[in-house]
Amino acid sequence: MRGFKHLLCTLVLISLAAISQGTFAQGNLSKPKNIIILFADGTAGTQFEFGRYSSEKLRNQSFAVTDIVMGKGQIQIMRTESANAFVTDSAAAASAMSTGYKVNNGAISMTPDGSRPETLMEAAKANGKRIGLISTAPIYDASPAAFSVHAKNRRDSELIVNQYVDLAPEVLMGGGQDYFLPKANGGKRQDDKNIIEVFKGQGYQYINTPDQLETVQTSKMLGLFAVEDIDYEIDRDPKAMPSLAQMVSVGLRVLSTNTKQKSNAGFILFAENENTDSAGHQNDVAALMRDLWAFDDAVKVALEFQKKHSDTLIIVTGDHETGGFSPTYGRKNLGPASASNYLNVNLSQLKQIESFKISLNEFSERFKAKVKEGVSETVLDQYLTQLLKENYPGIDLDTDLRQKILTQSQLTPNYNYLPSNILAQAIARQTGFYWGTSGHTSEPVIVAAIGPGAQIFSGYGDNTDFARKLKRLFQGK
Ligand SMILES: [Zn+2]
């Protein structure tokens, strides 16, 4: 990573600051009753900085992640390697953060020798806490799954859903109807069970539209708002699918009220925006920006909750960086160095990005649908021009990139999302928002925490420390 040198400087500064504030002192650890983990998948420091800068410049709003949780709370830098790779996937990263043990890429809280160390949510339940899982991904996806249950492979979706029935989180919200429904009801389950009905039979209120969120009255709820993923914020129809902030708001209400438990031990809520990771894979700067704002809106909901419930710890973090995101400056083209041939990233580039109307994924879907129609190359070329004109104002394709899109071929072997990654390259050349890969990277991530117990997050550590620290906060060890 070219940005690593900058990061090292940041690390040194952060460590010095931590020492000078005495944040390594672990005596008198105050323990929170409630813990809210806000999880931006695929998001490290570069993404959060982009969220802050774009939010200030385009929304005229402060960015709560950086300005409040990082600025007024504590931060830790966290390394992310898995048991078998320097660059982790989401399953291995979340497993380490949940159990305190390294697993191989693709495994869900199951170590290479087949053992199943206790997950964070299992430990929380064992300690009498209510638990919640929210994601814009299918709710059985790698991150929420690894924080809760066990599977050899992250693709064992049916098995993961079955374990949710046994674990019985009081709040389950996100996408992923497909592995809750039998084939007869349009689902993908092999065993013909209807798991939505199973949850209803156990006293859960089931909802599947944003309108129904306000109707939730029960102490346990299941909300599934999409067959698979909830759409990117840039594409989302608010009548069909809720925002992360809406889900977090209702999730907090359900977890903090309606409880009949005699001793109220509080709750742990895990709430994830998966679209920040997907945008990284697609190299989609416009979708990333909107989803970082949507994530921040959810952080603001959590901070409002904390104002009324001061015994709540809020943690903001991610699992790894996605895309090798690199906003940079440079020459506009291969011509000579000159003032007119130089690009700085500033408000005008941001405004252009803000004007984009659809995600690169949606662009790809539409383009591929046209290809499937079997139209001639000329018609396809005209369609591409029209798609760009309507949805990406001011973005032109250099000849090399136009050819790559028309033939849906890769630029280099590590740009696998086509044709999204090619259009992303055109956007990079004109706006300065470059990407180094369509995969994950080894960049360390940031853990930011504010509230009781936040002081234990400081300095530099491994992602397995995250689990141990959290368990210490509610197990008294
Ligand atoms: Zn990913």
Side-chain angles (χ1 to χ4, degrees):
M1 287 298 301
R2 280 184 223 108
F4 195 68
K5 252 193 241 164
H6 298 290
L7 188 73
L8 273 182
C9 296
T10 315
L11 284 179
V12 171
L13 289 175
I14 290 164
S15 304
L16 288 175
I19 290 164
S20 68
Q21 289 166 19
T23 50
F24 289 121
Q26 307 257 312
N28 300 324
L29 177 62
S30 48
K31 290 185 176 154
K33 179 175 150 192
N34 310 311
I35 300 174
I36 305 171
I37 302 169
L38 294 144
F39 202 82
D41 203 293
T43 298
T46 314
Q47 281 83 356
F48 283 137
E49 277 302 280
F50 173 53
R52 177 192 61 75
Y53 185 80
S54 59
S55 188
E56 283 170 10
K57 297 291 178 191
L58 294 175
R59 296 213 292 180
N60 203 21
Q61 274 189 37
S62 77
F63 196 63
V65 170
T66 50
D67 301 349
I68 299 177
V69 186
M70 289 185 196
K72 295 189 162 65
Q74 293 288 326
I75 56 175
Q76 175 170 22
I77 300 295
M78 189 167 72
R79 63 176 177 241
T80 66
E81 69 218 48
S82 69
N84 67 336
F86 183 36
V87 180
T88 189
D89 81 326
S90 288
S95 297
M97 293 171 78
S98 163
T99 67
Y101 291 87
K102 295 283 189 192
V103 308
N104 288 339
N105 282 359
I108 299 290
S109 292
M110 197 177 276
T111 60
D113 65 5
S115 65
R116 302 153 66 101
E118 186 180 50
T119 63
L120 183 70
M121 290 305 183
E122 286 172 338
K125 271 267 170 174
N127 280 267
K129 288 189 180 292
R130 291 158 65 75
I131 59 174
L133 297 173
I134 295 174
S135 181
T136 65
I139 195 59
Y140 52 75
D141 201 37
S143 310
F147 268 88
S148 314
V149 296
H150 310 268
K152 263 191 201 154
N153 193 301
R154 59 186 289 172
R155 305 283 167 223
D156 294 339
S157 307
E158 193 165 320
L159 177 74
I160 290 166
V161 170
N162 293 348
Q163 290 177 79
Y164 284 169
V165 175
D166 298 332
L167 183 67
E170 282 77 7
V171 168
L172 264 182
M173 262 190 280
Q177 291 157 355
D178 52 359
Y179 279 98
F180 283 73
L181 290 171
K183 285 183 180 158
N185 296 55
K188 287 186 184 158
R189 291 189 65 91
Q190 302 292 327
D191 65 2
D192 290 333
K193 283 187 183 158
N194 185 327
I195 302 297
I196 292 171
E197 291 303 323
V198 172
F199 272 106
K200 280 187 189 169
Q202 295 182 1
Y204 279 71
Q205 182 174 349
Y206 174 66
I207 59 169
N208 59 10
T209 67
D211 284 351
Q212 295 169 309
L213 278 167
E214 293 313 315
T215 71
V216 176
Q217 296 294 336
T218 49
S219 60
K220 297 187 283 189
M221 67 160 306
L222 171 67
L224 298 174
F225 306 99
V227 175
E228 293 179 345
D229 289 87
I230 290 179
D231 287 342
Y232 285 105
E233 198 58 24
I234 194 172
D235 298 328
R236 183 175 65 87
D237 171 2
K239 288 197 182 78
M241 298 179 188
S243 67
L244 183 65
Q246 284 176 295
M247 291 194 284
V248 167
S249 176
V250 172
L252 288 172
R253 178 162 63 77
V254 172
L255 288 170
S256 63
T257 55
N258 300 325
T259 175
K260 291 178 186 127
Q261 285 166 293
K262 278 183 199 140
S263 66
N264 188 355
F267 65 82
I268 298 190
L269 172 63
F270 171 89
E272 174 190 48
N273 190 343
E274 173 68 15
N275 286 330
T276 43
D277 175 66
S278 306
H281 286 294
Q282 301 267 341
N283 297 166
D284 189 341
V285 64
L288 175 66
M289 182 171 80
R290 306 277 182 177
D291 265 289
L292 284 167
W293 294 352
F295 179 74
D296 203 59
D297 292 342
V299 173
K300 284 170 178 156
V301 167
L303 287 165
E304 278 304 308
F305 179 88
Q306 191 187 43
K307 277 187 193 161
K308 295 183 202 104
H309 304 84
S310 60
D311 46 4
T312 302
L313 172 65
I314 295 173
I315 299 170
V316 172
T317 189
D319 46 357
H320 53 73
E321 197 272 351
T322 304
F325 186 44
S326 279
T328 189
Y329 48 74
R331 290 183 203 177
K332 286 180 185 169
N333 55 49
L334 298 177
S338 67
S340 63
N341 190 23
Y342 196 78
L343 180 73
N344 266 316
V345 176
N346 57 30
L347 187 58
S348 68
Q349 280 74 36
L350 286 183
K351 281 190 168 161
Q352 186 174 12
I353 284 162
E354 192 184 26
S355 74
F356 297 168
K357 294 188 173 60
I358 56 173
S359 68
L360 292 184
N361 185 59
E362 178 65 24
F363 161 81
S364 284
E365 296 290 312
R366 292 189 196 176
F367 183 78
K368 283 189 223 168
K370 199 65 170 177
V371 171
K372 257 195 181 163
E373 286 176 20
V375 296
S376 71
E377 207 172 301
T378 316
V379 171
L380 194 61
D381 193 81
Q382 285 165 352
Y383 181 71
L384 177 57
T385 304
Q386 184 198 333
L387 257 186
L388 289 177
K389 199 172 150 203
E390 285 171 4
N391 299 297
Y392 300 91
I395 294 297
D396 305 312
L397 287 171
D398 295 337
T399 311
D400 61 332
L401 299 180
R402 179 173 282 272
Q403 273 316 109
K404 293 276 181 198
I405 290 181
L406 289 171
T407 55
Q408 293 188 75
S409 46
Q410 287 179 248
L411 276 174
T412 68
N414 64 331
Y415 289 93
N416 305 325
Y417 292 76
L418 299 175
S420 299
N421 291 165
I422 313 297
L423 180 52
Q425 189 66 23
I427 292 166
R429 287 179 188 177
Q430 285 169 257
T431 63
F433 287 98
Y434 281 86
W435 300 84
T437 177
S438 68
H440 299 170
T441 74
S442 63
E443 185 178 339
V445 296
I446 296 174
V447 181
I450 190 164
Q455 69 266 34
I456 63 173
F457 296 97
S458 65
Y460 173 82
D462 192 71
N463 56 4
T464 50
D465 296 339
F466 184 84
R468 299 204 178 94
K469 286 181 177 182
L470 275 186
K471 286 177 188 171
R472 194 177 148 221
L473 283 178
F474 62 82
Q475 288 180 325
K477 288 172 195 162

